[in-house]
Amino acid sequence: MSFWENFWNIFWWFFCVYAFFALLWALFAVVGDLFRDDKLSGWWKAIWVIFLAFVPFLSLLVYLIARGKGMTERSMERALKHREASDAYIRGVAAASPSEEIAKARALLDSGTISADEFDRIKGKVLV
């Protein structure tokens, strides 16, 4: 009988630890959203933080009900901005198109910087 008592005690302990970390994650998510929101005044942010500090569970529920849709919209906007910045960076560092590479090589050939054999090698690499 003591085995089952210990098993359920261990199970309960793991559940409590999981619930505690879930509460912490939700608190950090809400506080992060509060401070990223440009439309909310500083006084309202301070009031939300005070309520989150003293009545965390109830405040989290009220915040998610009252401002959950805006929280999602702000998160999506931020993700879109990060994606656009990432795409712009990738386009900036990515190799040029094959026609641009051949045009650059042709300009080098015309200026005499490279020989016709080197031009053919560059053209062959680009077209493969």
Side-chain angles (χ1 to χ4, degrees), residues 10 33-34 47 60 69 73 84 117 119:
I10 292 170
D33 182 64
L34 272 173
I47 290 170
L60 280 173
K69 185 176 180 182
E73 291 170 355
E84 288 172 354
D117 292 336
F119 173 76

Side-chain angles (χ1 to χ4, degrees), residues 11 15-16 26-28 31 37 51 55 59 62 75 78 94 98 103 105 115:
F11 181 79
F15 177 76
C16 289
L27 281 171
F28 282 115
V31 169
D37 188 6
F51 275 103
V55 191
S59 299
V62 171
S75 177
R78 191 171 53 253
S115 67

Side-chain angles (χ1 to χ4, degrees), residues 99-119:
S99 60
E100 291 174 351
E101 290 292 326
I102 293 172
K104 288 178 187 177
R106 173 57 84 183
L108 291 173
L109 177 65
D110 293 342
S111 69
T113 306
I114 61 173
S115 67
D117 292 336
E118 290 173 320
F119 173 76

Side-chain angles (χ1 to χ4, degrees), residues 38-87:
D38 295 334
K39 297 174 187 164
L40 197 62
S41 72
W43 288 105
W44 280 111
K45 290 178 185 181
I47 290 170
W48 274 113
V49 168
I50 289 170
F51 275 103
L52 285 168
F54 292 108
V55 191
F57 188 73
L58 182 64
S59 299
L60 280 173
L61 288 177
V62 171
Y63 187 88
L64 291 176
I65 291 168
R67 299 180 46 90
K69 185 176 180 182
M71 190 174 178
T72 303
E73 291 170 355
R74 285 185 292 279
S75 177
M76 294 299 289
E77 287 175 16
R78 191 171 53 253
L80 182 63
K81 286 180 185 177
H82 286 288
R83 182 173 181 165
E84 288 172 354
S86 172
D87 289 346

